């Protein structure tokens, strides 16, 4: 195996798309909190720490899943021999160390969030992945907490709390729908996901109720005067897209969970536009 192939294998372990997506969410959290211009060094440290932590978490998950992946995902880096299991473990430790070093430069709340998230990333595969609902909830928390981490990095949580709730709950809904989509494969692997434990229709019902609660919470920044009409004009259609996707998942989980992503993206955009409009109004 050449150095180039090993390097590509290590990059694959991190799941670069996931790394970039999580880093962007952290940046959005800092932007929504209004700290990008005031605390640029802290924002860069938080974004980089997020990317390293997500890459480390993905690498350690592949290390723990290496036997399953030899059967289900033989093209992945460890099964195909691009990276040795020991190499993947060492690589993940190095990435975790980098994430910790950067996180320690941030305010106390951001450090606390980072510590919880690092432990969660390590524990996910071995402890939570096969537990009905809990694995989904952990993934949802980790996605939502990237917004909180970005906001905490600039020492101003503010409206990022609502973004955390909306993103986390929408992610939990999507994770449950994905489990319904993957139910046959999960049964063969011996996993006990929520749809397997309580049935597909009940699991979809739980997902829909959770999403409704998130939608109910979404106008809070507008009602509290944190964002203006620009936020509301985007978050309302985002809510409609997500509710329609949840309803559609009862007939076609694959289409439902896919379209739910668009609603989540639009909701994130609503927060960005809301903050940008507020910045403009403050300068006028």
């Amino acid at each position: 195996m050449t150095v180039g192939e090993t390097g590509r294998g290590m990059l694959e372990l991190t799941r670069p798309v996931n790394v970039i997506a999580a880093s962007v969410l952290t940046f959005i959290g800092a932007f929504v909190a209004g700290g990008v211009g005031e605390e640029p060094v802290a924002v860069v440290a938080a974004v980089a720490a997020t990317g390293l932590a997500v890459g480390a978490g993905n690498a350690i998950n592949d290390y723990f899943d290496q036997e399953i992946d030899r059967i289900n995902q033989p093209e992945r880096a460890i099964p195909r021999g691009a990276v040795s299991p020991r190499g993947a473990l060492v690589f993940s430790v190095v990435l975790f160390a980098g994430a910790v070093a950067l996180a320690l430069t941030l305010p106390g709340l951001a450090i606390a969030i980072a510590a919880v998230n690092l432990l969660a990333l390590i524990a996910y595969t071995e402890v939570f992945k096969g537990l009905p609902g809990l694995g989904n909830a952990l993934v949802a928390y980790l996605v939502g907490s990237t917004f909180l981490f970005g906001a905490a990095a600039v020492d101003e949580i503010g409206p990022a709390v609502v973004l955390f709730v909306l993103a986390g709950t929408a992610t939990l809904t999507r994770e449950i729908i994905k489990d319904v989509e993957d139910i046959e494969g999960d049964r063969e692997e011996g996993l006990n996901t929520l749809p397997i434990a309580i049935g597909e229709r009940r699991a979809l019902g739980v997902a829909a109720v959770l999403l409704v609660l998130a939608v109910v919470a979404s106008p809070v920044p507008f009602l509290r005067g944190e964002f203006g009409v620009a936020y509301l004009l985007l978050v309302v259609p985002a809510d409609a897209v997500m509710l329609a996707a949840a309803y559609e998942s009862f007939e076609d989980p694959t289409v439902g969970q896919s379209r739910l992503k668009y609603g989540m993206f639009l909701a994130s955009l609503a927060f960005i536009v809301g903050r940008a409009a507020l910045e403009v109004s403050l300068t006028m």
Side-chain angles (χ1 to χ4, degrees), residues 60-143:
I60 197 72
N61 282 338
D62 274 15
Y63 171 79
F64 285 128
D65 282 351
Q66 58 184 285
E67 296 305 323
I68 294 175
D69 286 346
R70 291 188 199 285
I71 300 171
N72 296 332
Q73 303 284 346
E75 76 285 354
R76 285 188 173 173
I78 295 176
R80 76 169 191 269
V83 181
S84 69
R86 180 179 174 80
L89 181 60
V90 171
F91 180 54
S92 70
V93 170
V94 171
L95 293 180
F96 274 127
V100 169
L102 289 169
L104 288 175
T105 67
L106 301 174
L109 181 57
I111 293 173
I113 294 171
V116 171
N117 288 5
L118 287 172
L119 291 173
L121 283 166
I122 294 171
Y124 172 70
T125 299
E126 285 296 282
V127 179
F128 292 98
K129 188 174 182 180
L131 299 178
L134 292 181
N136 302 132
L138 185 60
V139 171
Y141 160 76
L142 287 170
V143 171

Side-chain angles (χ1 to χ4, degrees), residues 251-262:
E251 295 299 325
D252 191 336
T254 301
V255 173
Q257 66 90 7
S258 178
R259 290 185 178 172
L260 190 58
K261 289 191 295 185
Y262 297 111

Side-chain angles (χ1 to χ4, degrees), residues 152-165:
V154 297
D155 219 9
E156 181 58 60
I157 293 293
V161 173
V162 177
L163 185 51
F164 160 71
V165 172

